[in-house]
């Protein structure tokens, strides 16, 4: 990563404080192992495969938190250019519009400007990953039965951040020299969700052509 790019990504422009794993826990060890394999330049396709003998829920939990932290950071770098004027609708080009629903304030899918959608999305994910009943941090506390379903929804919504950034704000990413970093993060995310089949294929359609060039 270039020095200029490091400065961009170290400004801590994340919307939210990073969620970290407790040292000494299995998830902390898995997180360290996943990071080490990425840093060693191992093939991304190999890096996302569930290690032998490890629990699927633990592996997914580690990646959901890591992707949240990193995608949060990517959006944070362009958020000043994503305004209600530039992006009055949360979309991925003219064919794809994303509406917000959270069963709290927004009981029905509601069209919102992109920055408002992003804020609600990051808030919603942060609540999930900081909820001990969903993402338990204590050793021996089991995951809830619907854990994978919750993670699928989180990952599906995080994918929409990539869609919006790539289709509407990639010029800013290029100007900042962050293209390689964002592309690597996207490839890692794409290989993970397809390896474990945790995002419906039709959700991946908006970036299908770009993905074919980048990942195949």
């Amino acid at each position: 990563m270039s020095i200029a790019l490091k400065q961009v990504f170290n400004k801590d422009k994340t919307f939210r404080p990073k969620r970290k794993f407790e040292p000494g826990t299995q998830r902390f060890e898995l997180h360290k192992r996943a990071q080490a394999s990425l840093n060693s330049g191992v093939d991304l396709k190999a890096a996302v495969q569930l290690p032998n003998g490890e629990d699927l829920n633990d592996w997914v939990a580690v990646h959901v938190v890591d992707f949240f932290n990193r995608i949060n950071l990517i959006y944070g770098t362009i958020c000043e250019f994503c305004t209600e004027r530039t992006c009055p609708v949360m979309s991925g080009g003219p064919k794809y519009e994303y509406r917000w629903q959270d069963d709290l304030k927004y009981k029905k899918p509601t069209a919102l400007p992109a920055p408002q959608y992003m804020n609600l999305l990051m808030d919603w994910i942060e609540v999930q990953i900081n909820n001990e009943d969903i993402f338990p941090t204590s050793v021996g506390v089991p995951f809830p039965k619907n854990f994978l379903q919750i993670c699928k929804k989180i990952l599906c919504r995080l994918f929409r951040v990539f869609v919006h950034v790539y289709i509407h704000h990639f010029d800013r990413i290029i100007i900042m020299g962050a293209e390689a970093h964002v592309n690597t993060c996207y490839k890692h995310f794409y290989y993970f969700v397809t390896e474990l089949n945790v995002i419906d294929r039709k959700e991946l359609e908006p970036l299908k052509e770009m993905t074919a060039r980048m990942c195949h």
Side-chain angles (χ1 to χ4, degrees), residues 64 67-68 71-72 75 90-91 98-104 106-110 112 114 116-128 149-165 189 193 198-200 203-204 206-207:
V64 166
F67 288 134
F68 170 67
I71 293 167
N72 199 358
Y75 183 70
M90 173 59 184
S91 62
Y98 299 119
R99 299 187 168 204
W100 182 255
Q101 182 177 10
D102 57 17
D103 299 324
L104 296 169
Y106 297 92
K107 302 251 196 296
K108 293 179 183 162
T110 306
L112 295 172
Q116 191 180 347
Y117 184 103
M118 295 291 190
N119 264 307
L120 288 165
L121 171 60
M122 299 301 181
D123 278 344
W124 175 79
I125 296 175
E126 192 182 23
V127 167
Q128 314 284 316
Q149 286 306 116
I150 293 168
C151 287
K152 284 178 181 180
K153 195 167 184 182
I154 292 173
L155 290 165
C156 176
R157 288 179 163 183
L158 280 174
F159 179 77
R160 295 170 182 182
V161 181
F162 277 123
V163 172
H164 186 73
V165 168
F189 181 92
V193 298
V198 285
I199 289 188
D200 192 319
E203 279 286 338
L204 301 173
L207 297 180

Short mmCIF file of all heavy atoms in Angstrom, two decimals, residues 64 67-68 71-72 75 90-91 98-104 106-110 112 114 116-128 149-165 189 193 198-200 203-204 206-207:
data_model
loop_
_atom_site.label_atom_id
_atom_site.label_comp_id
_atom_site.label_asym_id
_atom_site.label_seq_id
_atom_site.Cartn_x
_atom_site.Cartn_y
_atom_site.Cartn_z
N VAL A 64 -17.37 -11.75 9.21
CA VAL A 64 -18.42 -10.72 9.21
C VAL A 64 -17.91 -9.45 9.90
O VAL A 64 -18.05 -8.35 9.38
CB VAL A 64 -19.71 -11.22 9.88
CG1 VAL A 64 -20.66 -10.06 10.19
CG2 VAL A 64 -20.42 -12.22 8.97
N PHE A 67 -15.09 -7.87 7.68
CA PHE A 67 -15.63 -7.19 6.50
C PHE A 67 -16.37 -5.91 6.88
O PHE A 67 -16.28 -4.91 6.19
CB PHE A 67 -16.55 -8.12 5.70
CG PHE A 67 -15.82 -9.20 4.95
CD1 PHE A 67 -16.26 -10.52 4.99
CD2 PHE A 67 -14.69 -8.92 4.19
CE1 PHE A 67 -15.60 -11.53 4.29
CE2 PHE A 67 -14.01 -9.92 3.49
CZ PHE A 67 -14.47 -11.22 3.55
N PHE A 68 -17.09 -5.97 7.98
CA PHE A 68 -17.78 -4.75 8.45
C PHE A 68 -16.76 -3.64 8.70
O PHE A 68 -16.93 -2.51 8.24
CB PHE A 68 -18.56 -5.04 9.74
CG PHE A 68 -19.09 -3.80 10.42
CD1 PHE A 68 -20.08 -3.03 9.83
CD2 PHE A 68 -18.58 -3.39 11.64
CE1 PHE A 68 -20.57 -1.88 10.45
CE2 PHE A 68 -19.06 -2.25 12.28
CZ PHE A 68 -20.06 -1.49 11.68
N ILE A 71 -15.19 -2.56 5.13
CA ILE A 71 -16.13 -1.91 4.20
C ILE A 71 -16.57 -0.56 4.77
O ILE A 71 -16.74 0.42 4.04
CB ILE A 71 -17.31 -2.85 3.89
CG1 ILE A 71 -16.81 -4.06 3.10
CG2 ILE A 71 -18.41 -2.12 3.13
CD1 ILE A 71 -17.80 -5.21 2.99
N ASN A 72 -16.71 -0.52 6.07
CA ASN A 72 -16.98 0.72 6.79
C ASN A 72 -15.91 1.77 6.46
O ASN A 72 -16.20 2.94 6.18
CB ASN A 72 -16.91 0.35 8.28
CG ASN A 72 -17.59 1.34 9.17
OD1 ASN A 72 -18.10 2.34 8.71
ND2 ASN A 72 -17.58 1.04 10.44
N TYR A 75 -16.14 2.92 2.73
CA TYR A 75 -17.21 3.92 2.53
C TYR A 75 -16.83 5.24 3.22
O TYR A 75 -17.11 6.32 2.70
CB TYR A 75 -18.56 3.42 3.04
CG TYR A 75 -19.65 4.43 2.77
CD1 TYR A 75 -20.08 4.68 1.46
CD2 TYR A 75 -20.22 5.19 3.80
CE1 TYR A 75 -21.04 5.64 1.19
CE2 TYR A 75 -21.18 6.14 3.54
CZ TYR A 75 -21.58 6.37 2.23
OH TYR A 75 -22.53 7.33 1.96
N MET A 90 -30.52 5.28 -2.88
CA MET A 90 -29.50 4.24 -2.67
C MET A 90 -29.62 3.25 -3.82
O MET A 90 -30.59 2.49 -3.91
CB MET A 90 -29.72 3.54 -1.33
CG MET A 90 -28.81 2.34 -1.09
SD MET A 90 -27.05 2.76 -1.13
CE MET A 90 -26.35 1.12 -0.93
N SER A 91 -28.63 3.29 -4.72
CA SER A 91 -28.75 2.48 -5.92
C SER A 91 -27.40 1.96 -6.39
O SER A 91 -26.35 2.34 -5.89
CB SER A 91 -29.39 3.31 -7.04
OG SER A 91 -28.55 4.41 -7.35
N TYR A 98 -31.97 0.02 -3.86
CA TYR A 98 -32.08 -0.69 -2.59
C TYR A 98 -32.93 0.13 -1.63
O TYR A 98 -32.68 1.32 -1.43
CB TYR A 98 -30.70 -0.92 -1.99
CG TYR A 98 -29.81 -1.77 -2.88
CD1 TYR A 98 -28.61 -1.28 -3.39
CD2 TYR A 98 -30.18 -3.07 -3.21
CE1 TYR A 98 -27.80 -2.06 -4.20
CE2 TYR A 98 -29.38 -3.86 -4.03
CZ TYR A 98 -28.19 -3.35 -4.52
OH TYR A 98 -27.40 -4.12 -5.34
N ARG A 99 -33.91 -0.51 -1.05
CA ARG A 99 -34.79 0.17 -0.09
C ARG A 99 -34.51 -0.36 1.31
O ARG A 99 -34.17 -1.53 1.48
CB ARG A 99 -36.25 -0.06 -0.48
CG ARG A 99 -36.53 0.51 -1.85
CD ARG A 99 -37.97 0.48 -2.26
NE ARG A 99 -38.12 1.31 -3.46
CZ ARG A 99 -39.24 1.88 -3.82
NH1 ARG A 99 -40.33 1.73 -3.09
NH2 ARG A 99 -39.29 2.60 -4.92
N TRP A 100 -34.68 0.50 2.29
CA TRP A 100 -34.33 0.13 3.66
C TRP A 100 -35.54 -0.38 4.43
O TRP A 100 -36.62 0.19 4.38
CB TRP A 100 -33.72 1.31 4.42
CG TRP A 100 -33.32 0.90 5.81
CD1 TRP A 100 -33.95 1.19 6.97
CD2 TRP A 100 -32.21 0.04 6.15
NE1 TRP A 100 -33.31 0.57 8.03
CE2 TRP A 100 -32.25 -0.14 7.54
CE3 TRP A 100 -31.22 -0.59 5.40
CZ2 TRP A 100 -31.30 -0.91 8.21
CZ3 TRP A 100 -30.29 -1.36 6.07
CH2 TRP A 100 -30.33 -1.51 7.46
N GLN A 101 -35.33 -1.47 5.17
CA GLN A 101 -36.34 -2.01 6.06
C GLN A 101 -35.64 -2.57 7.28
O GLN A 101 -34.65 -3.30 7.16
CB GLN A 101 -37.15 -3.11 5.36
CG GLN A 101 -38.26 -3.69 6.22
CD GLN A 101 -39.07 -4.74 5.46
OE1 GLN A 101 -38.69 -5.15 4.36
NE2 GLN A 101 -40.17 -5.17 6.03
N ASP A 102 -36.12 -2.22 8.47
CA ASP A 102 -35.46 -2.74 9.68
C ASP A 102 -36.44 -3.24 10.73
O ASP A 102 -36.05 -3.61 11.84
CB ASP A 102 -34.53 -1.68 10.29
CG ASP A 102 -35.27 -0.38 10.61
OD1 ASP A 102 -36.52 -0.38 10.68
OD2 ASP A 102 -34.58 0.66 10.78
N ASP A 103 -37.72 -3.24 10.40
CA ASP A 103 -38.77 -3.71 11.32
C ASP A 103 -38.87 -2.88 12.59
O ASP A 103 -39.52 -3.27 13.55
CB ASP A 103 -38.56 -5.19 11.68
CG ASP A 103 -38.64 -6.07 10.44
OD1 ASP A 103 -39.45 -5.75 9.55
OD2 ASP A 103 -37.87 -7.04 10.34
N LEU A 104 -38.20 -1.74 12.61
CA LEU A 104 -38.33 -0.82 13.75
C LEU A 104 -39.02 0.44 13.25
O LEU A 104 -40.24 0.54 13.26
CB LEU A 104 -36.95 -0.51 14.35
CG LEU A 104 -36.22 -1.71 14.97
CD1 LEU A 104 -34.78 -1.37 15.28
CD2 LEU A 104 -36.95 -2.16 16.24
N TYR A 106 -38.58 1.58 10.07
CA TYR A 106 -38.95 1.34 8.67
C TYR A 106 -39.52 -0.07 8.52
O TYR A 106 -38.81 -1.02 8.30
CB TYR A 106 -37.73 1.54 7.76
CG TYR A 106 -37.20 2.94 7.79
CD1 TYR A 106 -36.19 3.31 8.68
CD2 TYR A 106 -37.72 3.93 6.95
CE1 TYR A 106 -35.71 4.61 8.74
CE2 TYR A 106 -37.25 5.25 7.00
CZ TYR A 106 -36.25 5.57 7.89
OH TYR A 106 -35.78 6.86 7.95
N LYS A 107 -40.84 -0.16 8.68
CA LYS A 107 -41.49 -1.48 8.66
C LYS A 107 -41.66 -2.01 7.23
O LYS A 107 -41.76 -3.20 7.01
CB LYS A 107 -42.87 -1.40 9.34
CG LYS A 107 -42.82 -0.91 10.79
CD LYS A 107 -43.12 -2.03 11.74
CE LYS A 107 -43.46 -1.60 13.14
NZ LYS A 107 -42.44 -0.92 13.89
N LYS A 108 -41.71 -1.09 6.26
CA LYS A 108 -41.82 -1.48 4.85
C LYS A 108 -40.58 -1.00 4.13
O LYS A 108 -39.97 -0.01 4.53
CB LYS A 108 -43.04 -0.81 4.22
CG LYS A 108 -44.36 -1.30 4.75
CD LYS A 108 -45.50 -0.57 4.07
CE LYS A 108 -46.84 -1.01 4.66
NZ LYS A 108 -47.90 -0.05 4.34
N PRO A 109 -40.16 -1.69 3.05
CA PRO A 109 -39.01 -1.22 2.28
C PRO A 109 -39.23 0.23 1.83
O PRO A 109 -40.23 0.54 1.20
CB PRO A 109 -38.98 -2.18 1.07
CG PRO A 109 -39.67 -3.41 1.56
CD PRO A 109 -40.74 -2.94 2.51
N THR A 110 -38.28 1.09 2.21
CA THR A 110 -38.44 2.53 2.00
C THR A 110 -37.27 3.09 1.19
O THR A 110 -36.11 2.83 1.50
CB THR A 110 -38.49 3.26 3.37
OG1 THR A 110 -39.51 2.66 4.17
CG2 THR A 110 -38.77 4.75 3.21
N LEU A 112 -34.58 5.62 0.22
CA LEU A 112 -33.86 6.64 0.99
C LEU A 112 -32.65 7.12 0.20
O LEU A 112 -32.11 6.38 -0.63
CB LEU A 112 -33.36 6.04 2.32
CG LEU A 112 -34.39 5.59 3.34
CD1 LEU A 112 -33.70 4.85 4.48
CD2 LEU A 112 -35.17 6.78 3.89
N ALA A 114 -28.76 7.65 -0.49
CA ALA A 114 -27.69 6.71 -0.17
C ALA A 114 -27.02 6.96 1.19
O ALA A 114 -26.83 6.03 1.96
CB ALA A 114 -26.64 6.70 -1.28
N GLN A 116 -28.14 8.28 3.91
CA GLN A 116 -29.04 7.90 5.01
C GLN A 116 -29.13 6.38 5.10
O GLN A 116 -29.10 5.81 6.20
CB GLN A 116 -30.42 8.52 4.77
CG GLN A 116 -31.34 8.41 5.98
CD GLN A 116 -32.72 9.02 5.71
OE1 GLN A 116 -32.92 9.74 4.72
NE2 GLN A 116 -33.66 8.75 6.59
N TYR A 117 -29.25 5.73 3.96
CA TYR A 117 -29.29 4.27 3.92
C TYR A 117 -28.01 3.70 4.54
O TYR A 117 -28.07 2.78 5.36
CB TYR A 117 -29.42 3.80 2.47
CG TYR A 117 -29.56 2.31 2.28
CD1 TYR A 117 -30.79 1.73 2.01
CD2 TYR A 117 -28.45 1.46 2.37
CE1 TYR A 117 -30.92 0.36 1.82
CE2 TYR A 117 -28.56 0.09 2.19
CZ TYR A 117 -29.81 -0.46 1.91
OH TYR A 117 -29.94 -1.82 1.75
N MET A 118 -26.86 4.25 4.17
CA MET A 118 -25.58 3.76 4.69
C MET A 118 -25.49 3.91 6.20
O MET A 118 -25.02 3.01 6.90
CB MET A 118 -24.41 4.50 4.03
CG MET A 118 -24.27 4.27 2.54
SD MET A 118 -23.73 2.58 2.15
CE MET A 118 -23.38 2.79 0.40
N ASN A 119 -25.93 5.05 6.70
CA ASN A 119 -25.90 5.26 8.15
C ASN A 119 -26.77 4.24 8.88
O ASN A 119 -26.36 3.66 9.89
CB ASN A 119 -26.36 6.68 8.49
CG ASN A 119 -25.19 7.63 8.66
OD1 ASN A 119 -24.27 7.37 9.41
ND2 ASN A 119 -25.22 8.73 7.93
N LEU A 120 -27.97 4.03 8.37
CA LEU A 120 -28.87 3.05 8.99
C LEU A 120 -28.28 1.65 8.90
O LEU A 120 -28.36 0.87 9.86
CB LEU A 120 -30.23 3.09 8.28
CG LEU A 120 -31.08 4.33 8.57
CD1 LEU A 120 -32.22 4.44 7.55
CD2 LEU A 120 -31.65 4.29 9.99
N LEU A 121 -27.67 1.35 7.76
CA LEU A 121 -27.06 0.03 7.57
C LEU A 121 -25.93 -0.22 8.56
O LEU A 121 -25.88 -1.26 9.23
CB LEU A 121 -26.55 -0.08 6.13
CG LEU A 121 -25.68 -1.30 5.78
CD1 LEU A 121 -26.46 -2.58 6.01
CD2 LEU A 121 -25.20 -1.23 4.35
N MET A 122 -25.02 0.75 8.67
CA MET A 122 -23.88 0.58 9.58
C MET A 122 -24.35 0.51 11.04
O MET A 122 -23.83 -0.29 11.83
CB MET A 122 -22.86 1.71 9.40
CG MET A 122 -22.26 1.80 8.01
SD MET A 122 -21.39 0.29 7.48
CE MET A 122 -20.82 0.81 5.85
N ASP A 123 -25.35 1.32 11.39
CA ASP A 123 -25.91 1.26 12.75
C ASP A 123 -26.50 -0.13 13.02
O ASP A 123 -26.28 -0.72 14.07
CB ASP A 123 -27.04 2.29 12.92
CG ASP A 123 -26.50 3.69 13.22
OD1 ASP A 123 -25.32 3.81 13.59
OD2 ASP A 123 -27.27 4.66 13.07
N TRP A 124 -27.26 -0.61 12.05
CA TRP A 124 -27.96 -1.89 12.20
C TRP A 124 -26.95 -3.03 12.37
O TRP A 124 -27.11 -3.89 13.24
CB TRP A 124 -28.84 -2.12 10.97
CG TRP A 124 -29.52 -3.44 10.94
CD1 TRP A 124 -30.63 -3.82 11.62
CD2 TRP A 124 -29.11 -4.58 10.15
NE1 TRP A 124 -30.95 -5.13 11.32
CE2 TRP A 124 -30.03 -5.62 10.42
CE3 TRP A 124 -28.07 -4.82 9.25
CZ2 TRP A 124 -29.94 -6.88 9.83
CZ3 TRP A 124 -27.97 -6.07 8.66
CH2 TRP A 124 -28.89 -7.09 8.95
N ILE A 125 -25.89 -3.03 11.55
CA ILE A 125 -24.88 -4.10 11.66
C ILE A 125 -24.15 -3.99 13.00
O ILE A 125 -23.90 -4.99 13.67
CB ILE A 125 -23.88 -4.06 10.49
CG1 ILE A 125 -24.59 -4.34 9.18
CG2 ILE A 125 -22.76 -5.09 10.71
CD1 ILE A 125 -23.71 -4.20 7.94
N GLU A 126 -23.82 -2.76 13.38
CA GLU A 126 -23.09 -2.58 14.63
C GLU A 126 -23.87 -3.12 15.82
O GLU A 126 -23.31 -3.76 16.71
CB GLU A 126 -22.78 -1.09 14.84
CG GLU A 126 -21.78 -0.87 15.96
CD GLU A 126 -21.50 0.61 16.19
OE1 GLU A 126 -22.33 1.44 15.83
OE2 GLU A 126 -20.44 0.90 16.74
N VAL A 127 -25.17 -2.89 15.82
CA VAL A 127 -26.02 -3.42 16.89
C VAL A 127 -25.96 -4.95 16.92
O VAL A 127 -25.83 -5.57 17.98
CB VAL A 127 -27.48 -2.93 16.73
CG1 VAL A 127 -28.43 -3.72 17.63
CG2 VAL A 127 -27.58 -1.44 17.05
N GLN A 128 -26.02 -5.57 15.73
CA GLN A 128 -25.98 -7.04 15.67
C GLN A 128 -24.65 -7.59 16.21
O GLN A 128 -24.64 -8.50 17.03
CB GLN A 128 -26.12 -7.54 14.21
CG GLN A 128 -27.21 -6.90 13.40
CD GLN A 128 -28.60 -7.40 13.74
OE1 GLN A 128 -28.82 -8.59 13.91
NE2 GLN A 128 -29.53 -6.49 13.85
N GLN A 149 -28.29 -17.26 9.36
CA GLN A 149 -29.29 -16.45 8.65
C GLN A 149 -29.05 -14.96 8.88
O GLN A 149 -29.14 -14.15 7.96
CB GLN A 149 -30.71 -16.82 9.12
CG GLN A 149 -31.21 -18.15 8.60
CD GLN A 149 -31.13 -18.26 7.08
OE1 GLN A 149 -30.39 -19.09 6.55
NE2 GLN A 149 -31.85 -17.40 6.37
N ILE A 150 -28.72 -14.61 10.12
CA ILE A 150 -28.44 -13.20 10.44
C ILE A 150 -27.21 -12.74 9.67
O ILE A 150 -27.20 -11.64 9.08
CB ILE A 150 -28.22 -13.02 11.97
CG1 ILE A 150 -29.53 -13.28 12.72
CG2 ILE A 150 -27.69 -11.62 12.29
CD1 ILE A 150 -29.37 -13.40 14.23
N CYS A 151 -26.17 -13.58 9.64
CA CYS A 151 -24.93 -13.21 8.94
C CYS A 151 -25.15 -13.08 7.44
O CYS A 151 -24.56 -12.22 6.78
CB CYS A 151 -23.83 -14.23 9.23
SG CYS A 151 -23.22 -14.08 10.92
N LYS A 152 -26.00 -13.93 6.88
CA LYS A 152 -26.31 -13.83 5.45
C LYS A 152 -26.92 -12.47 5.14
O LYS A 152 -26.60 -11.84 4.13
CB LYS A 152 -27.26 -14.96 5.04
CG LYS A 152 -26.58 -16.31 4.91
CD LYS A 152 -27.58 -17.40 4.54
CE LYS A 152 -26.87 -18.75 4.44
NZ LYS A 152 -27.80 -19.83 4.08
N LYS A 153 -27.81 -12.02 6.01
CA LYS A 153 -28.46 -10.72 5.79
C LYS A 153 -27.44 -9.58 5.91
O LYS A 153 -27.45 -8.63 5.12
CB LYS A 153 -29.59 -10.54 6.81
CG LYS A 153 -30.55 -9.42 6.46
CD LYS A 153 -31.79 -9.50 7.33
CE LYS A 153 -32.80 -8.45 6.91
NZ LYS A 153 -33.99 -8.48 7.77
N ILE A 154 -26.55 -9.68 6.90
CA ILE A 154 -25.50 -8.66 7.08
C ILE A 154 -24.61 -8.61 5.84
O ILE A 154 -24.35 -7.53 5.29
CB ILE A 154 -24.65 -8.95 8.34
CG1 ILE A 154 -25.49 -8.75 9.61
CG2 ILE A 154 -23.40 -8.05 8.37
CD1 ILE A 154 -24.78 -9.18 10.90
N LEU A 155 -24.15 -9.77 5.38
CA LEU A 155 -23.24 -9.81 4.23
C LEU A 155 -23.93 -9.34 2.96
O LEU A 155 -23.33 -8.64 2.14
CB LEU A 155 -22.70 -11.24 4.05
CG LEU A 155 -21.72 -11.69 5.15
CD1 LEU A 155 -21.52 -13.21 5.10
CD2 LEU A 155 -20.38 -10.98 5.04
N CYS A 156 -25.19 -9.70 2.80
CA CYS A 156 -25.96 -9.25 1.64
C CYS A 156 -26.02 -7.72 1.61
O CYS A 156 -25.83 -7.09 0.56
CB CYS A 156 -27.36 -9.85 1.71
SG CYS A 156 -28.44 -9.30 0.40
N ARG A 157 -26.27 -7.12 2.76
CA ARG A 157 -26.36 -5.66 2.82
C ARG A 157 -25.00 -5.00 2.67
O ARG A 157 -24.89 -3.92 2.09
CB ARG A 157 -27.07 -5.24 4.11
CG ARG A 157 -28.55 -5.56 4.08
CD ARG A 157 -29.29 -5.20 5.35
NE ARG A 157 -30.73 -5.16 5.11
CZ ARG A 157 -31.62 -4.82 6.03
NH1 ARG A 157 -31.24 -4.49 7.25
NH2 ARG A 157 -32.92 -4.80 5.73
N LEU A 158 -23.95 -5.63 3.19
CA LEU A 158 -22.60 -5.09 2.99
C LEU A 158 -22.21 -5.11 1.51
O LEU A 158 -21.52 -4.21 1.03
CB LEU A 158 -21.57 -5.88 3.82
CG LEU A 158 -21.48 -5.52 5.30
CD1 LEU A 158 -20.53 -6.48 6.02
CD2 LEU A 158 -21.02 -4.08 5.51
N PHE A 159 -22.68 -6.12 0.80
CA PHE A 159 -22.39 -6.19 -0.63
C PHE A 159 -22.94 -4.96 -1.34
O PHE A 159 -22.35 -4.44 -2.30
CB PHE A 159 -22.98 -7.47 -1.23
CG PHE A 159 -22.75 -7.59 -2.72
CD1 PHE A 159 -21.50 -7.97 -3.21
CD2 PHE A 159 -23.76 -7.31 -3.62
CE1 PHE A 159 -21.28 -8.06 -4.58
CE2 PHE A 159 -23.54 -7.40 -4.99
CZ PHE A 159 -22.30 -7.78 -5.47
N ARG A 160 -24.07 -4.45 -0.87
CA ARG A 160 -24.69 -3.28 -1.50
C ARG A 160 -23.81 -2.03 -1.36
O ARG A 160 -23.88 -1.13 -2.20
CB ARG A 160 -26.07 -3.03 -0.89
CG ARG A 160 -27.04 -4.16 -1.18
CD ARG A 160 -28.32 -4.05 -0.40
NE ARG A 160 -29.19 -5.20 -0.71
CZ ARG A 160 -30.40 -5.36 -0.20
NH1 ARG A 160 -30.89 -4.47 0.65
NH2 ARG A 160 -31.12 -6.41 -0.54
N VAL A 161 -23.00 -2.00 -0.32
CA VAL A 161 -22.05 -0.88 -0.18
C VAL A 161 -21.04 -0.95 -1.33
O VAL A 161 -20.74 0.07 -1.97
CB VAL A 161 -21.33 -0.91 1.19
CG1 VAL A 161 -20.38 0.28 1.32
CG2 VAL A 161 -22.35 -0.92 2.34
N PHE A 162 -20.51 -2.14 -1.59
CA PHE A 162 -19.60 -2.30 -2.73
C PHE A 162 -20.27 -1.86 -4.04
O PHE A 162 -19.68 -1.16 -4.85
CB PHE A 162 -19.17 -3.77 -2.88
CG PHE A 162 -18.02 -4.19 -2.01
CD1 PHE A 162 -18.17 -5.24 -1.12
CD2 PHE A 162 -16.79 -3.55 -2.08
CE1 PHE A 162 -17.11 -5.66 -0.32
CE2 PHE A 162 -15.72 -3.95 -1.29
CZ PHE A 162 -15.88 -5.01 -0.40
N VAL A 163 -21.52 -2.29 -4.23
CA VAL A 163 -22.25 -1.96 -5.46
C VAL A 163 -22.31 -0.44 -5.63
O VAL A 163 -21.96 0.10 -6.69
CB VAL A 163 -23.68 -2.55 -5.44
CG1 VAL A 163 -24.49 -2.03 -6.63
CG2 VAL A 163 -23.64 -4.07 -5.46
N HIS A 164 -22.71 0.25 -4.58
CA HIS A 164 -22.85 1.71 -4.67
C HIS A 164 -21.50 2.40 -4.88
O HIS A 164 -21.38 3.29 -5.71
CB HIS A 164 -23.53 2.25 -3.41
CG HIS A 164 -23.84 3.71 -3.50
ND1 HIS A 164 -24.85 4.21 -4.30
CD2 HIS A 164 -23.24 4.79 -2.92
CE1 HIS A 164 -24.86 5.55 -4.20
NE2 HIS A 164 -23.90 5.91 -3.37
N VAL A 165 -20.50 1.95 -4.15
CA VAL A 165 -19.16 2.57 -4.27
C VAL A 165 -18.58 2.34 -5.66
O VAL A 165 -18.09 3.26 -6.30
CB VAL A 165 -18.21 2.03 -3.18
CG1 VAL A 165 -16.76 2.43 -3.47
CG2 VAL A 165 -18.62 2.56 -1.80
N PHE A 189 -13.98 -10.58 -0.21
CA PHE A 189 -15.39 -10.67 0.17
C PHE A 189 -16.13 -11.62 -0.78
O PHE A 189 -16.85 -12.52 -0.36
CB PHE A 189 -16.01 -9.27 0.12
CG PHE A 189 -17.46 -9.22 0.53
CD1 PHE A 189 -17.82 -8.97 1.85
CD2 PHE A 189 -18.48 -9.40 -0.40
CE1 PHE A 189 -19.16 -8.91 2.23
CE2 PHE A 189 -19.81 -9.34 -0.04
CZ PHE A 189 -20.15 -9.10 1.28
N VAL A 193 -18.03 -15.14 0.27
CA VAL A 193 -19.49 -15.36 0.23
C VAL A 193 -19.87 -16.44 -0.79
O VAL A 193 -20.88 -17.13 -0.61
CB VAL A 193 -20.28 -14.05 -0.05
CG1 VAL A 193 -20.04 -13.04 1.06
CG2 VAL A 193 -19.99 -13.46 -1.43
N VAL A 198 -23.16 -17.85 1.05
CA VAL A 198 -23.93 -17.08 2.03
C VAL A 198 -24.59 -15.83 1.43
O VAL A 198 -25.16 -15.04 2.18
CB VAL A 198 -23.06 -16.69 3.26
CG1 VAL A 198 -22.84 -17.90 4.15
CG2 VAL A 198 -21.74 -16.06 2.84
N ILE A 199 -24.51 -15.65 0.11
CA ILE A 199 -25.27 -14.59 -0.54
C ILE A 199 -25.95 -15.19 -1.76
O ILE A 199 -25.31 -15.91 -2.54
CB ILE A 199 -24.39 -13.39 -0.98
CG1 ILE A 199 -23.91 -12.60 0.24
CG2 ILE A 199 -25.18 -12.44 -1.89
CD1 ILE A 199 -23.19 -11.29 -0.12
N ASP A 200 -27.22 -14.90 -1.90
CA ASP A 200 -27.97 -15.36 -3.07
C ASP A 200 -27.32 -14.83 -4.34
O ASP A 200 -26.98 -13.65 -4.43
CB ASP A 200 -29.41 -14.82 -2.94
CG ASP A 200 -30.35 -15.47 -3.93
OD1 ASP A 200 -29.93 -15.67 -5.08
OD2 ASP A 200 -31.49 -15.77 -3.55
N GLU A 203 -28.32 -11.54 -5.91
CA GLU A 203 -27.86 -10.32 -5.25
C GLU A 203 -26.53 -9.83 -5.84
O GLU A 203 -26.20 -8.66 -5.77
CB GLU A 203 -27.69 -10.56 -3.74
CG GLU A 203 -28.96 -10.49 -2.94
CD GLU A 203 -29.49 -9.07 -2.74
OE1 GLU A 203 -28.70 -8.10 -2.84
OE2 GLU A 203 -30.69 -8.95 -2.47
N LEU A 204 -25.75 -10.78 -6.38
CA LEU A 204 -24.42 -10.45 -6.91
C LEU A 204 -24.48 -9.90 -8.34
O LEU A 204 -23.47 -9.46 -8.87
CB LEU A 204 -23.53 -11.70 -6.88
CG LEU A 204 -23.32 -12.34 -5.50
CD1 LEU A 204 -22.57 -13.66 -5.64
CD2 LEU A 204 -22.57 -11.42 -4.55
N PRO A 206 -25.50 -7.07 -9.81
CA PRO A 206 -25.08 -5.72 -10.20
C PRO A 206 -23.59 -5.59 -10.54
O PRO A 206 -23.21 -4.73 -11.33
CB PRO A 206 -25.43 -4.87 -8.97
CG PRO A 206 -26.52 -5.61 -8.29
CD PRO A 206 -26.22 -7.06 -8.52
N LEU A 207 -22.74 -6.44 -9.95
CA LEU A 207 -21.30 -6.35 -10.22
C LEU A 207 -20.80 -7.57 -11.00
O LEU A 207 -19.61 -7.85 -11.03
CB LEU A 207 -20.52 -6.21 -8.90
CG LEU A 207 -20.80 -4.95 -8.08
CD1 LEU A 207 -19.97 -4.95 -6.80
CD2 LEU A 207 -20.53 -3.68 -8.87
#
